[in-house]
Amino acid sequence: MWSPRHGRVTRTLLLAVTPTLAACFVDVPPALSGGASSEGEGPGEGTTGTTGLTTEDVHDDADSSSKGCPTTAPPGKWYLDQDGDDWGVEPAQVACDQPPGTAAERGDCDDGDPERFPGSLEVCDGEDDDCDEIVDEFSPVNANCNGCALAERDGAPHWFCKDDAIDWVAAREACTELGWTVELLSIHSEADHAWARTQAQALYEGVDPMGTFWIGLRRADPHWASCTADPAQWEWSDGSPLDYAAWSMGQPDSAPCDALCEPVDALDEACPRENCGHMLYLEGGWNDRACFAAGVGYACRAAPPP
């Protein structure tokens, strides 16, 4: 491969012969000029002449980065691959041929474990096996993990988890610990809602159908201390708007609510507010409830891939 610096260089050699010193020649440094030159009979004939060279004649090989490589293949980038899984880590090294112990692909999240690399099958081991920054999500070999039924919808991993006596705050923490893009379940269409309800029914067969199955419904911060039962005050815990709703009849009702007190936080039992939402999975409707209430489980959802 020629260097970008490889260009046209004309080197001119001027040989001058004077009438009085016919046997003496004066070397003149080559002129780095692309201009035309006059042609004579050549040195030794008693006349002055110049000889020009073009890029077809002279090549500048000052940039030797391509030396030793096929002219049709530039040097490649290779990444250290200590565990031999064909995925490496930064920084890259540049070479014509692949050095031993390297890989052409980068992005390995654990170069000491050959079972962890982008595209690996996720298993229930508490680790990010496929290097997508999510732990223990669904894969063809991982449909259940730690009391959760795993599924995938529109490319987004989902978890439906049994957990007796868990409150909304703890349920949200359990979701976010699975990955930075994971939150309590948000629902944005009737199809999403029907699918989530089906998953919950399969998981909770035989469990109290009125039990609190936490989803990402929450009252927005500016209305946290309010006793007003207004569906417009609600949002999803991932920050997305409530663009679809499946409230049960008469919900949210924000009851009970003591207007004379102001809650310190979501788990303040001395000043209860129904600021968190759950799904009555058998009925399918949503209901507002105090965030510190004991639930029977929760659902998580990771952001779909870009």
Side-chain angles (χ1 to χ4, degrees):
M1 179 185 73
W2 294 117
S3 163
R5 295 204 301 268
H6 189 280
R8 291 186 173 272
V9 178
T10 301
R11 299 179 179 176
T12 307
L13 177 63
L14 298 178
L15 301 177
V17 181
T18 64
T20 57
L21 295 175
C24 296
F25 292 88
V26 178
D27 291 333
V28 179
L32 299 180
S33 171
S37 60
S38 61
E39 295 184 0
E41 298 295 329
E45 297 295 329
T47 60
T48 301
T50 58
T51 302
L53 300 178
T54 67
T55 51
E56 286 75 25
D57 306 308
V58 177
H59 298 297
D60 181 4
D61 288 330
D63 184 350
S64 60
S65 64
S66 63
K67 286 184 176 179
C69 293
T71 56
T72 58
K77 287 186 176 181
W78 309 98
Y79 304 90
L80 182 63
D81 178 18
Q82 298 184 93
D83 56 13
D85 58 11
D86 294 328
W87 288 84
V89 295
E90 295 278 9
Q93 54 181 299
V94 178
C96 297
D97 299 316
Q98 181 175 359
T102 65
E105 301 289 344
R106 61 180 174 175
D108 198 342
C109 53
D110 186 348
D111 203 29
D113 186 345
E115 301 299 322
R116 298 180 63 198
F117 56 85
S120 178
L121 288 177
E122 193 77 21
V123 296
C124 185
D125 59 1
E127 295 185 330
D128 177 15
D129 300 302
D130 56 2
C131 298
D132 62 354
E133 301 184 1
I134 302 175
V135 175
D136 293 342
E137 75 268 28
F138 171 82
S139 80
V141 296
N142 196 39
N144 295 276
C145 184
N146 299 325
C148 300
L150 312 181
E152 189 172 274
R153 177 173 170 79
D154 296 332
H158 287 69
W159 297 255
F160 293 85
C161 306
K162 287 182 179 180
D163 196 328
D164 293 339
I166 190 171
D167 61 55
W168 188 91
V169 173
R172 186 184 186 189
E173 290 177 350
C175 291
T176 57
E177 287 176 357
L178 295 169
W180 69 276
T181 67
V182 184
E183 260 286 359
L184 279 168
L185 177 66
S186 59
I187 299 173
H188 298 277
S189 70
E190 184 176 354
D192 287 346
H193 180 252
W195 181 81
R197 182 181 172 188
T198 300
Q199 304 302 311
Q201 287 174 342
L203 179 67
Y204 287 98
E205 184 177 359
V207 179
D208 180 6
M210 300 301 290
T212 294
F213 172 63
W214 294 116
I215 55 178
L217 278 173
R218 68 185 300 274
R219 194 190 299 263
D221 289 342
H223 310 289
W224 194 259
S226 173
C227 287
T228 304
D230 184 356
Q233 295 178 351
W234 289 73
E235 65 180 11
W236 295 106
S237 60
D238 60 12
S240 59
L242 198 66
D243 50 6
Y244 169 80
W247 293 104
S248 295
M249 185 177 295
Q251 300 298 325
D253 60 3
S254 193
C257 184
D258 183 356
L260 298 180
C261 73
E262 184 169 338
V264 175
D265 55 39
L267 303 181
D268 185 0
E269 297 188 39
C271 188
R273 292 288 190 275
E274 291 194 332
N275 285 340
C276 295
H278 67 125
M279 177 190 292
L280 300 168
Y281 63 87
L282 189 62
E283 173 193 332
W286 303 348
N287 179 53
D288 59 340
R289 196 165 188 197
C291 301
F292 54 75
V296 297
Y298 57 93
C300 308
R301 174 182 180 269

